[in-house]
Amino acid sequence: MSAFDELYRVAQEAKRGDGGGLRRDGWQGTVGTIETFDLERIGAALDSARQSEGQPLPEHYVLPDYPGQAATLRIDGTEVGTHGLIVVEGDTLYQAHSTVDGVTPALQLRAHRWFLPMPAEQSFVAYGEVQATGEKRFDRAFHLRATSRAAAVAFLTPPLVEQLMRVGGDVVSITVRPELGRTGCEVRVEVSSARQATPAIALARAAHAATETLVGTPGGFVATSGAHALAPDQLLALVERVRNTVSFLAGHVARVGDGVEARLELDRPSGLASVLRIEPANTSAVRVSFRGELPHDDRARRTTLTPELGVLKRAKGLVDTKVGDALLDRAFLIEGDAARARLALADPSASLRLAGRGAALTVDGAGLDVRVPDVPLDDSALLEVVLAALACWRGAALRAAGLVVQELEE
């Protein structure tokens, strides 16, 4: 008889009031120090242990107790990523990372903190607008940002919503973003310890499955059903033509959902990469975004340039930052550092073309960002915007590296 069985028998006898005796090798003994405990509770606990014999251990038993250590995250025995505990600003969080094949729009979900302000950092806002589901209870509890409402709807699968409502306000974030031809899913949940992480682990599994659903959903990039009338293959051909005819670019172009994404590199300065994205805005226009790396810059300040349109912006333009070029100073409202603004304006012709299309330019420590909200679905207009964004990036990179700015080659 095992020690477990002996202790179990003693506890059961104590519960029945038969007294506690422990016989070992023919000798009659007493319960000893066990008498100082609540034998009824011990018996109940052992009953529960007996019923769970042969069953898998709860998930938190294989999750490391110490922040910074990771374990394998599995779904139905298949490894999909890693998970563990981390500490962020003094708070203990459960964090899971997983990836799936295919590319989706980036999106981010956060719990609404009633007694704390919602984050307003650019990294959150950049995921797009808050997409309301129409379900009041859910919309009060969570904010989901995405550039595509259809993508948000596809991501919110019933199993994911169920787990979200269970975890509730402890959800810090669920972030989905494309990563080198795949899509990564990151889940963060506030937990007190690994022993309390079982609901968070279930949420991570549901979020991974929802990401797989999003990747496999046709039209997940489309903001409205009418946008299906767009021809993404035409966009693909246009961007391919730009890449193949501009001598200083290398990289690859791919159709991503109903949009097109190009990952391009400069030949000079070498080692700088960019992402150009074109996706539907409506049945007659597309949205263009561009992000290009610049040589390392220790200054952390952001500088933004927006077209100086409207009475309010013209008024602000009287006292905004100036770069010393009358035409450029009239075209853009500049907020931030003049030296950084000059990087964005290193190719004046390209930057003025972007201003004419309503583009916003941003320069920060990471690089140059160009966003054009609505470009007519017309080859010439798209070509103008794409070439202008690339020219601005190359001009900024050359100037930041101390090299001579050359004209854009076609």
Side-chain angles (χ1 to χ4, degrees), residues 261-391:
E261 191 167 285
R263 295 182 178 271
L264 305 170
E265 295 182 3
L266 283 177
D267 63 346
R268 181 170 174 261
S270 61
L272 298 181
S274 70
V275 177
L276 169 71
R277 186 181 180 113
I278 304 174
E279 57 188 0
N282 52 54
T283 55
S284 59
V286 293
R287 188 182 300 115
V288 177
S289 60
F290 176 84
R291 180 76 181 181
E293 296 176 343
L294 294 178
H296 180 68
D297 188 341
D298 291 331
R299 292 173 295 176
R301 291 180 57 191
R302 290 167 51 87
T303 297
T304 60
L305 300 86
T306 53
E308 198 172 293
L309 301 174
V311 176
L312 182 58
K313 285 195 173 183
R314 289 197 187 97
K316 288 183 177 180
L318 297 175
V319 293
D320 69 337
T321 302
K322 305 298 181 184
V323 295
D325 183 298
L327 191 59
L328 294 174
D329 285 333
R330 284 197 303 270
F332 287 98
L333 174 65
I334 302 173
E335 299 178 86
D337 182 69
R340 288 200 167 201
R342 292 188 183 99
L343 290 179
L345 303 174
D347 188 316
S349 176
S351 57
L352 288 172
R353 287 178 179 274
L354 289 173
R357 293 290 180 183
L361 286 65
T362 302
V363 181
D364 55 29
L368 171 70
D369 186 85
V370 178
R371 294 185 180 272
V372 191
D374 291 299
V375 181
L377 191 61
D378 170 79
D379 267 10
S380 59
L382 269 173
L383 191 61
E384 178 188 32
V385 167
V386 170
L387 290 174
L390 292 170

Side-chain angles (χ1 to χ4, degrees), residues 27 64 131 214 285 319 338 344:
W27 292 89
Q131 303 291 343
L214 179 58
V319 293

Side-chain angles (χ1 to χ4, degrees), residues 174-305:
I174 298 178
T175 304
V176 173
R177 52 179 167 246
E179 299 173 351
L180 300 176
R182 292 171 61 83
T183 295
C185 177
E186 177 193 85
V187 175
R188 288 186 171 188
V189 180
E190 286 188 1
V191 295
S192 57
S193 65
R195 291 180 58 84
Q196 306 302 319
T198 297
I201 298 172
L203 176 62
R205 285 203 174 95
H208 176 83
T211 304
E212 289 185 316
T213 298
L214 179 58
V215 169
T217 301
F221 282 74
V222 184
T224 64
S225 58
H228 285 287
L230 295 174
D233 288 338
Q234 294 179 4
L235 302 181
L236 181 63
L238 181 141
V239 179
E240 283 276 16
R241 179 153 57 94
V242 170
R243 186 200 60 179
N244 292 334
T245 57
V246 176
S247 62
F248 58 75
L249 287 177
H252 65 274
V253 183
R255 176 174 173 176
V256 182
D258 283 339
V260 169
E261 191 167 285
R263 295 182 178 271
L264 305 170
E265 295 182 3
L266 283 177
D267 63 346
R268 181 170 174 261
S270 61
L272 298 181
S274 70
V275 177
L276 169 71
R277 186 181 180 113
I278 304 174
E279 57 188 0
N282 52 54
T283 55
S284 59
V286 293
R287 188 182 300 115
V288 177
S289 60
F290 176 84
R291 180 76 181 181
E293 296 176 343
L294 294 178
H296 180 68
D297 188 341
D298 291 331
R299 292 173 295 176
R301 291 180 57 191
R302 290 167 51 87
T303 297
T304 60
L305 300 86

